[in-house]
Amino acid sequence: MSLGLSESEWAVVVLSLKVSLVAILATLPVAYGLAWVLARRSFPGKLLLDGLVHLPLVLPPVVTGWLLLLVFGRAGPVGGWLQETFGFSLVFRWTGAALAAAIMALPLMVRAMRLSIESVDRRLVAAARTLGAGPFRAFRTITLPLSLPGIWAGAVLGFARSLGEFGATITFVSNIPGQTRTLPLAIYTGLQVPGAEAEVTRLAIISVVLSLAALVASEALIRRAGRGAHVL
Amino acid sequence: MSFELSIRHRVGERSLTLDTRSDARITGIVGPSGAGKTSVLNCVAGLARPAEGRIVVDGVTLFDRANRIDLPPEHRRAGYVFQDNRLFPHLRVGANLSYGERLTDPAERWIGHDEVLDFLGIGHLVQRWPATLSGGEARRVAIGRALLAAPRFLLLDEPLTSLDAARREEILRVIERIRDELAIPMILVSHSRDEIDRLTGTLITIG
């Protein structure tokens, strides 16, 4: 089954899916933790944390990519440490593309999850506490399952955002075939050379189909979450 | 002494002061809405923290500001039946009933699962989802869930409101049976004195 795609085009699609999937799976617990803290806790600096989480949403992606390069590049504080300690570098690697995609997807994931955590009635958590559940068990048995639709919605939305990630990726890890050339980068590359219109069209159609599917799935999950909140 | 309540508590602009000792099996608290009746129950259950005071139930100190005692809700063993029931919407009735039961030490259980189902007549509901229950059914399930968590005392918040006359009578009988057969101290909160006159030994009016 080739769907009319060449081997290199398939490699692009598979790489894109791999980068996005890894980005989302790794970000999921972080995003949920941030969402929970923002939904349920008040502390000094909350507004600042909220702002930082949302920054990639409004910042030019090129700036995000450059900041990632400063921090995770070989000369950067985190990148240098990774290189020295583990001999591991993110730059020019698909793992770096996944990091860029994760940072860009984070605000969308946190937003969806925060909404669904906020919609979980705290009085239910209080009821669980009176029945003998400690704070962690009450979270695990009440808040977590009731906010599950929001987790799914956030993950799918973040996945769609990751698939489309361009600016931060090309700035941070460049455009290397087989390592960092994901769908948008391949389409961009195709547009730079004459005679690649057919390839661009095929990859663009795949982008549209994947993004649309993700949006529809996310919307369906959000609606289910909305219903769940009104079960009482 | 079943209950020794000495509570000074502020909720928003209102302040609440209560000093009472009661040895009755059912202690009633009556007052208009907004007087802080539910706040008293929340303080006893550990869901709210009084600014000052001391709460002792059946000889166990749950809260004592002066001696820095403040047991977390999960260690107070309060059987709290909320006005809005608060059944967990994602769990079937059966799982709601056993939620607290599974968290209790078997040695502390004083009533069996089937006994509670029979007592409350809710055996046929265990496969249902909370959203499909009528008001009277949901209230009985909420009472059952509280009883199965092996509570040392019960807190009933407006147990008769939002029920029609027939259901009201049914729940009244359940509370009477709990009083007469289970010998567990209860605080019962209501906005109407008439409603709980027939049940209570000690009646406290606040607000």
Side-chain angles (χ1 to χ4, degrees), chain B residues 34-51:
Chain B
K37 302 183 297 290
T38 301
S39 296
V40 173
L41 295 188
N42 286 341
C43 287
V44 177
L47 300 178
R49 184 176 292 129

Side-chain angles (χ1 to χ4, degrees), chain A residues 90-230:
Chain A
L90 293 165
V91 183
F92 307 130
R93 302 294 313 276
W94 72 270
T95 43
L99 177 66
I103 295 286
M104 297 302 289
L106 188 69
L108 287 174
M109 295 172 74
V110 171
R111 280 177 88 84
M113 292 178 188
R114 179 181 181 172
L115 280 176
S116 82
I117 293 171
E118 279 169 350
S119 78
V120 175
D121 195 335
R122 297 174 93 141
R123 293 172 308 169
L124 293 174
V125 178
R129 295 290 302 276
T130 67
L131 289 165
F136 182 70
R137 186 184 293 269
F139 165 78
R140 191 167 57 74
T141 55
I142 308 297
T143 310
L144 189 62
L146 284 173
S147 60
L148 212 54
I151 299 179
W152 285 115
V156 174
L157 212 57
F159 184 74
R161 177 65 188 80
S162 296
L163 280 178
E165 188 2 68
F166 179 79
T169 307
I170 202 166
T171 313
F172 178 36
V173 289
S174 187
N175 182 3
I176 298 164
Q179 278 296 339
T180 68
R181 184 172 293 171
T182 54
L183 268 169
L185 274 71
I187 292 170
Y188 173 78
T189 309
L191 288 171
Q192 306 301 305
V193 290
E197 288 83 3
E199 181 187 346
V200 167
T201 308
R202 286 193 294 272
L203 292 175
I205 289 172
I206 288 181
S207 292
V208 170
V209 169
L210 286 176
S211 306
L212 201 60
L215 275 179
V216 168
S218 164
E219 188 61 27
L221 289 163
I222 288 169
R223 287 197 187 167
R224 247 184 68 193
R227 266 218 304 280
H230 299 119

